[in-house]
Amino acid sequence: MNAARWIKIIAVICVAVMSLLCLIFCNYANSPIDFKYREFTVEIPRGSTFSATADILEGAGLIRHKKEFYLLALLMDAPEHIKPGEYDLCSSMTPVAVLYKLVQGKIKGYFVFIPEGFTLLQIASRLENEGLADREKFIGLASDSILLSALGIEGESAEGYLFPDTYRFDKSMGAERIIRFMVEQFRKRITPDMLERADEIHFTLDELVILASIIEKEGGPNEERSLISAVFHNRLKKSMRLQSDPTVIYGIKDFDGNLRKSDLRKKTPYNTYTIKGLPPGPICSPGMEAIEAALYPASVDFLYFVSKNNGSHQFSSNLKNHNKAVLKYQIKRRK
């Protein structure tokens, strides 16, 4: 009887102790550091062990008692499922909430606007300024033949295929994943009908992107894009040089903003004053309006256009009228 009584007493004590420990542990798991809502941004590097992750969180003042935190993580099956990246966390989050966010991979995102007409160099610089990619590494990968082949790009770089849009990137992505994502966006926007139309006008996809990039850089209101496209299509059919200033500028290293007559005579692969046909690659990332304009030029016989210096252009069908327009809108204006 005495032994049985002691066994019951010990059992009751064990249950009480276990209940108390469970209560304490549950209280730990569901109690934040404080309720001041202090915000922290922490980065969990790729390849970090759970111990290293816990050190980062403890150092930031987001958790206490690492052993209890590790036990909680084991119960949640979290240690092997935490996603690397940058996280916005706050001191009012419970340990359970912190682990849930890390396991779900709710990484801090950065919205980046890439406008139509941005070049590869401009995109690389913007991403570096946002802390999302090293500029030189991005440029190097965008010209990597193995990556380009995997992306189905026949040219020497991803220029023109980095679709202009507003993106949400995170710092864990890296340059290659960003390039792949932007090219994927381009592929999504190019429909089978567009590819069929390109085939009808005897253009490859690369040629389409090249022409669209030139149209994009020539600027002007949207309603003029099909007219600009018509000028270039008409010139190509007549084996006339395109004579597009933006292509010349693209081929000048460290362009200072002043296009000189000597630049127009300088032989570079992109100078369409000295080469016939399209340049060897796109000169920027064209938007959908420019791509559609390249596919559907206006039914006009224009061969020339000149800026009116008000954002629009004067179009002409012959050199005589074009020279008059140049005299009116450029030469007399400068004088």
Side-chain angles (χ1 to χ4, degrees):
M1 289 293 293
N2 290 338
R5 190 182 303 122
W6 277 110
I7 291 172
K8 288 182 180 179
I9 292 171
I10 293 171
V12 170
I13 292 172
C14 288
V15 170
V17 170
M18 290 297 296
S19 297
L20 180 61
L21 289 175
C22 286
L23 183 63
I24 293 171
F25 186 72
C26 288
N27 183 63
Y28 167 80
N30 293 284
S31 297
I33 291 289
D34 59 46
F35 293 94
K36 296 179 181 179
Y37 204 84
R38 293 177 293 121
E39 294 183 337
F40 301 89
T41 298
V42 299
E43 184 173 1
I44 310 300
R46 190 172 297 278
S48 295
T49 62
F50 182 79
S51 179
T53 299
D55 286 338
I56 292 169
L57 296 172
E58 187 177 50
L62 289 160
I63 64 164
R64 59 168 68 96
H65 308 310
K66 278 179 58 178
K67 289 182 180 179
E68 287 85 343
F69 187 71
Y70 180 60
L71 179 58
L72 175 64
L74 287 175
L75 292 172
M76 294 177 63
D77 191 29
E80 304 299 324
H81 298 95
I82 288 176
K83 311 292 191 303
E86 196 177 34
Y87 292 86
D88 281 334
L89 303 170
C90 65
S91 60
S92 62
M93 295 176 68
T94 66
V96 168
V98 170
L99 282 169
Y100 180 78
K101 192 165 187 175
L102 298 181
V103 170
Q104 291 294 312
K106 295 183 177 179
I107 299 169
K108 180 179 181 179
Y110 293 83
F111 287 97
V112 183
F113 174 55
I114 306 298
E116 293 89 346
F118 251 36
T119 65
L120 170 62
L121 301 184
Q122 289 174 308
I123 294 170
S125 295
R126 176 156 294 188
L127 291 170
E128 182 173 74
N129 291 339
E130 294 291 340
L132 293 164
D134 177 80
R135 182 179 184 274
E136 296 307 317
K137 184 175 182 180
F138 187 89
I139 293 169
L141 281 170
S143 304
D144 182 79
S145 59
I146 297 175
L147 179 58
L148 293 174
S149 177
L151 294 172
I153 297 174
E154 296 180 358
E156 295 182 355
S157 83
E159 184 79 88
Y161 290 87
L162 303 172
F163 192 75
D165 204 346
T166 298
Y167 292 93
R168 184 183 183 276
F169 294 137
D170 64 71
K171 290 186 177 180
S172 72
M173 293 180 70
E176 181 174 335
R177 283 181 62 195
I178 290 176
I179 291 170
R180 286 180 176 275
F181 191 84
M182 295 181 75
V183 174
E184 183 181 333
Q185 288 302 107
F186 169 84
R187 299 289 184 192
K188 287 179 180 178
R189 299 299 294 272
I190 300 299
T191 66
D193 287 344
M194 289 180 174
L195 295 175
E196 186 177 336
R197 171 60 182 171
D199 190 57
E200 286 177 7
I201 59 176
H202 308 295
F203 267 55
T204 65
L205 178 60
D206 198 47
E207 290 170 337
L208 171 64
V209 177
I210 293 171
L211 180 56
S213 72
I214 299 173
I215 295 169
E216 186 69 71
K217 276 297 190 181
E218 287 289 355
N222 282 339
E223 57 267 23
E224 284 190 0
R225 290 180 185 269
S226 63
L227 297 175
I228 293 173
S229 176
V231 169
F232 292 136
H233 274 279
N234 292 340
R235 281 177 163 262
L236 288 170
K237 289 174 183 176
K238 292 178 176 289
S239 296
M240 296 174 65
R241 291 184 173 89
L242 297 186
Q243 297 184 322
S244 170
D245 290 356
T247 64
V248 180
I249 292 169
Y250 185 83
I252 299 173
K253 187 177 181 181
D254 301 321
F255 179 64
D256 62 7
N258 184 23
L259 188 63
R260 302 167 179 84
K261 286 186 177 179
S262 59
D263 294 323
L264 303 182
R265 294 191 293 268
K266 194 176 298 181
K267 289 187 177 181
T268 74
Y270 285 86
N271 187 349
T272 54
Y273 280 82
T274 61
I275 66 168
K276 287 187 177 182
L278 294 167
I283 62 172
C284 72
S285 288
M288 288 308 299
E289 290 83 0
I291 293 172
E292 289 172 356
L295 287 170
Y296 298 97
S299 298
V300 293
D301 62 354
F302 296 146
L303 291 170
Y304 306 90
F305 62 89
V306 64
S307 172
K308 292 182 179 180
N309 298 300
N310 63 359
S312 64
H313 300 87
Q314 178 65 43
F315 295 85
S316 305
S317 301
N318 57 68
L319 185 58
K320 181 180 178 181
N321 289 338
H322 175 63
N323 287 336
K324 288 180 180 179
V326 171
L327 179 65
K328 178 179 179 180
Y329 294 110
Q330 296 294 320
I331 298 175
K332 285 185 177 180
R333 177 180 176 276
R334 285 197 293 267
K335 288 182 179 180

